[in-house]
Structure formats: C-alpha cells, structure tokens
Amino acid sequence: MMILTKKMIEIRSILQKVGQSSTLTLPSIVVIGSQSSGKSSVLEAIVGHEFLPKGSNMVTRRPIELTLVNTPKGQEEYGEFPDLGLRRITDFSSIQRTLTELNLAVPDSECVSHEPIHLTVYSPNVPDLSLIDLPGYIQVVGANQPLELKQKIAELCDKYIQPPNVILAISAADVDLANSTALRASRRVDPRGERTIGVITKMDLVDPIRGAAILNDKQYGLRLGYVGVVAKAPSTPGLFKIGHTNLMSTITKQENAYFSSHPLEFGPEAGVNVGTTTLRKKLMNVLEQTMSSSLQGTSDAIKQELEEATYEFKVQYNDRPLSAESYLAESLDAFKHSFKQFTEEFGRPQMHELLKNELDQKVLDLLAARYWNKPIEDLSPAKPDVDSIYDLPKADPDSLYWHRQLDASTSALTKLGVGRLATTVVASSIQAHIDRIIGQSTFANHPFARDAIMEATSTILNERYYSTSDQVENCIKPYKFEIDVDEREWGLGREQVGNVLKKELKDCESALGSLESAVGGRRKLKEVMGFVDKARKGDVIVEGDGRSGAGGFSAALLARGREAVFLRDRADIIKLRLMAVKSKQCAGINNKYYCPEVFLNAAASKLASTAVLFLNVELLSEFYYNFPRELDLRLGRQLAPSEVEKFAREDPRIRHHLEVIRRKELLELVLEKMESLRQLEGRERERRGGA
Ligand code: GDP
C-alpha cells in the first residue's frame, strides 16, 4: 500500500513546481528539536548515511526539504539537488559538503533563511518519505550571533509545524521532558497531540527504568506516541571511515543490543516503541495516513486553483496557446521578414550614396587643405598670399603650380584607402540598420536575442572585411595612375559639387549664427572679428600670443572671434568657388585645372561606382545570404530548451502568459494523478474491508 505515499510524494514535488500558494501542498514530516538533541543523528539513521552538515557554528540555517524515494533492491544510492541541477551524487560526503556550503552561504548577520534547500535521496534502503529538517532551537545566543536569532529560528519552525504537517519532536532522554523545546513548540500548534510523534534520543544515557517511563509519558500524551532510539553514529577513528551503507545496520545492531539487554523495560511485553527501524515504519504509516486524509482537501484546493488559472487564461489570453519555442519561432520569422524587406531597399544605389557622401567630405577636406585655407593659427600678421585661390581664375593655363595642386589632390583622393573606407562605411550602415530592425521587432525586449543578432551581424561582416577591402582597393588601383573623366561625367560632377558647396556654405553660415548667439549678438561678434582682422593685418599690436586676452576681449571671446573669421573667410571662398563652378570657365573638361572641385567630384563618383560593384558581390550579397542562416543557427538549433525558456521569459508579458499556461498544465496533471490515486485508495479500502 506504500505505493500511495510514493505517488503522493510525486504529486507533492509537482505541486512545489506550481509554486505560489502554500495551501497547495501535501503534508510532510517536520523535524524539530533543540541543538544537540540528536536531531541530525535520527535523520541520518533513517537515511542510513551521514550527510547533514556538522559543526558547532549553527550549521543548519535553511530548511532542508528532504524527499526519500525508495528504489528497487540492488540499485545504487544517490542524492540530487534538483534546484541546482546536481544529479546522481553517489558520494554522500559530497552531499554533506554541498549542504554545508549552501547553509554557510546564509550570512552570519541573518543566520537563518526561509528559502528551503531541496534534496532528494534515492535508495533501496529508505522508505518513501518527505521530511523537513529545520535549524535546531537554541537556548542561549552565541557571542557572534544576532540577539533576535532565537526568535528567528522559532518563527521559521512555526511556519512549518502548521497542519497538515506531521511534527517529529526530538527530545533527549537525559533532559527533562518538561524542558523539551520541541514538545513545547508542538504543543502550541497541536495542543491535543494529534499529529506529533515524540522521539526520545540518547536512551542509552539514562537508566532503563527511567527511559521506559519517559516513553510511557502521560503528561505530554501524544496520540501517535513516543519512540525511543539510540541513534548515535559510531565514532570513526582514523582513516577508516565507516562504510556508509553500514550506518543503518550498525545502528540497528547497537539498538538491538541495548534494548534487548533490558527486556523488562523495552521487551515486547513492555508495550513501548523502541528503535529506529520501528520509527521508520511509524513514519511511513503516519505519513501515508495523513497524506490520504488530506487528499480530498488538497484536491479541492487544486480544483479551485485550476479554475482560477483557466479563467485567467481565457480572459487575459483568449485561450491562446503559447510555448517558449513557438514564441521564439514566431519572433524569428517576423524578424527575418523585416530583414527581407530591408534587403530589397538597400542595394547598390544606397551603398553608392553612402560612399559618395563620405568621399565628398574627403574632397572638401582636400580642397580646404590644398586650395582654400589661409593660415590664421595666431594673431600675427598674415603671410603674403602666394598663388592664392583668388588668383586661380587668372592663372596661366600651363602654370605648373596649379597642375601640381590638382595632381596632388587627385593622388591623395585615390590613395586615402578607399577599400577600407568603403567597407567600413557599408558595414557600419548595415549594423545600424540591423539594430534598427531589432528595435522595431519583438527582440527589442530581449537583450539576449539582441546580442545574439548583433554578434551574428558582426561575425559575418568581420569575416568578409579584409577580403572585401582588399578587392575594392585592387579594383580602384588603375585610378591611382590616371583618371579619365568624360564630358558627361564632368557635367554630372559640376552639378553635384554645386550642391555639395551649397550645403557646405549653409553649414558655415549656421555655425556663424551659433557663434553669434554664443557671444551675445551680431554686434559683439562683429567687434571681436574686426579686432582679429586688424591684428592679422598688423594694424594693432597684440602682446604675447593673445592667449590671455587682448584689446579688451577675453581669451575665450578672441577664440570665438578667430573661429568666426575662419568661417566667414571659408564662406567667402565657397561663394567665390560656387560662382567659378557655375561660370563658363568650368563648363568643360578642358579647363580642369581651373575647376578642381568639379574634377575631384567626378573622380570621387568614379571611385564610388567601382567600389560599389565589388562591395555588392563581396560584402552585401554574402551578408544577405549568410545572415538568415546564422540567425537560424544562433537563435534556433544551437539553443538548449532552457535557453529558449530563458529567452521567452525576458519579456514580462510573455513570461506571465507562459506561467499561466504552465500552472494550468501542472494543475491538470496533478489533478489527474490525484483522481487515479483516489480510485486506487478506494479500491484498496474495499479490498481491506472485504478481507
Ligand atoms: P543535533 O544538534 O540535534 O542535530 O544533534 P546531533 O545529532 O548532532 O547529536 C548531538 C550529540 O549527541 C552528538 O555528539 C551525537 O553523537 C550525540 N548523540 C546523538 N544521539 C545519541 C544517542 O542516541 N546516544 C548517545 N550516547 N549520544 C547521541
């Protein structure tokens, strides 16, 4: 009939997974006793192994929910910590170490924690039992322990000794029962002694007559009675640690020897219960009875809980099924769909535009360095301009100086590392787009998936980076020697550079505007700009380098003034060049030395077009092909079920949805098991009644 307990323990573990309400549980046996009453010794005698933490420093700080599972004869004995994922630990001293670590992890300042440790022991030698070991009651608070410790332990124990649990109250025979903390605690919650089993340890330490009297105690009468034991583990001298499987038989032998040597007090005629074997049997019977009598109540509670879960599922989620896997698959599909859309919108024209913009900036820098900039690093008089840009329109067509300027600029443009620049620009843009797509997808709420996708992106791009930039660099190589621009390209370049210059002009003007407001108005800026101009011409003497201010202007103001003068001059030059670009002189390719802006723009376009051809093959197509596959790998096949679960739970809404479904399923499962159990029990009762 023990099958009933086994099944109910199974159900109990499932209920633990449901979590939430504590009413949804089947009874367990709660072990209480004061420190050194022999509580650990009794538990170890029942299990047949030393496995509990030992030591003087309050070693039990958390409840240990111990489930014993009887396995068929001849099978290995082992323990498991399901919460830690620790399976099949056959070495019980390793279980002891783990328990010690888990307990000592509770800081000294707190001393006890309500969070239980779950341990399951499988063995052919144990009965199916569910036991809870609690910190021992203490009489005196130690020096380094918090004052409220006594209170804290009592509170923790009180939580567990509530009905329907069975209380195993441990008291030592050599302490007066009236002083037993365990019995006092049990009396408070079970005044009529209906669900308390008394265990009297250390029977060998008192006179047998007195021992027998304790077991027959009527003052603290318990319906389930007292059991006397001698559970002390034999001391283990030196290296010869006692064979673990022997603990049970050693203790049994030791008890038999002791109790049978006092037949008058403890023999069959004496009418007392003694020995750990008797205790083990009693625990089995009591637990089974308690479990079966709470079957109905628990089953009703589960039904109610199930109704609530079903209702919540209907109202909140419209009975929509969901699993972590389906959620991930749907999210991934949607994401790939958005990605597909992106691939249709991002191709050669877009890459060309990106790259051309980048090269336009480089061209502006080159123009500034070679043609436009005037030295104004300090307030000293300007050096007389030699071959300034203002002279260019009037220059001799064969002027070696202007020929060299354009050749040098072109060479700088083609040799600036277009391969790397182009690859970097496109790769970063792809990354930014992917990031945007993630932001608009369900993955936005999933840091794990976001990281996985970004990593997939950069892995593919990085793999292609060097070969792509080498290829691009190679294919623009001819331009490093010569760039031929035809009339059509010239015309296009002329139009485009006009726009670039106009935009640059606008930028200069808006920067000037910001400076104006920063110094407090146009007039003020004009004043300081006037001073900077005069200083450059040498009309005013500025002491030192003007860093500490001059002409009644602070150093900061002068710096702004210099910046404004620079911007104004740049704007003037750009206006001038805009006019030049629009003029007849720049209408045709023959005058390229007069129009470096147009020529460099046309050159930049050629570089961009050529680069894009290779970027498309080497980088973009490869990326478009590999990315969805990499996603499938990283967010699909490579993920363990626990990772999929973790992923889905990152989103609070999904987590809740999944939890409701899980709770509902677990409750349905439990209820089904309980129904069949009730039938089994009913048949068993009939059989017994009939027999
Ligand atoms: P706990 O603090 O309540 O867990 O108590 P322990 O199980 O650690 O036992 C306290 C001490 O009492 C240990 O030294 C045990 O060896 C000893 N002890 C436990 N049970 C018996 C017993 O039945 N007889 C004797 N003589 N000593 C025992």
Side-chain angles (χ1 to χ4, degrees), residues 34-41 201-202 204-205 229-232:
S34 50
Q35 261 184 336
S36 303
S37 58
K39 193 158 65 70
S40 311
S41 305
T201 58
K202 311 189 188 182
D204 56 324
L205 294 188
V229 298
V230 181
K232 182 186 167 76

Side-chain angles (χ1 to χ4, degrees), residues 543-570:
E543 308 237 319
D545 55 7
R547 253 183 227 142
S548 50
F553 301 109
S554 70
L557 203 53
L558 279 178
R560 291 212 162 111
R562 280 195 290 271
E563 203 182 324
V565 165
F566 169 81
L567 288 167
R568 181 205 61 202
D569 290 353
R570 187 170 170 103

Side-chain angles (χ1 to χ4, degrees), residues 308-322:
E308 277 163 27
T310 310
Y311 181 76
E312 193 178 359
F313 184 48
K314 187 174 183 59
V315 171
Q316 276 201 31
Y317 301 104
N318 214 1
D319 285 337
R320 190 161 52 84
L322 180 76

Side-chain angles (χ1 to χ4, degrees), residues 483-522:
I483 294 194
D484 272 333
V485 173
D486 63 24
E487 283 299 338
R488 194 191 60 87
E489 289 166 340
W490 182 270
L492 220 61
R494 191 171 168 219
E495 190 187 314
Q496 283 178 2
V497 84
N499 296 332
V500 174
L501 290 178
K502 270 184 217 150
K503 171 153 188 306
E504 186 65 13
L505 183 60
K506 238 168 116 184
D507 289 348
C508 277
E509 279 162 356
S510 84
L512 261 173
S514 319
L515 276 177
E516 247 173 51
S517 36
V519 302
R522 173 168 299 196

Side-chain angles (χ1 to χ4, degrees), residues 410 414 476-484 592 599 606:
T410 313
T414 53
I476 61 134
K477 209 169 180 179
Y479 295 132
K480 293 180 184 171
F481 304 101
E482 189 170 18
I483 294 194
D484 272 333
K592 69 172 179 182
F599 183 78
K606 282 177 100 77

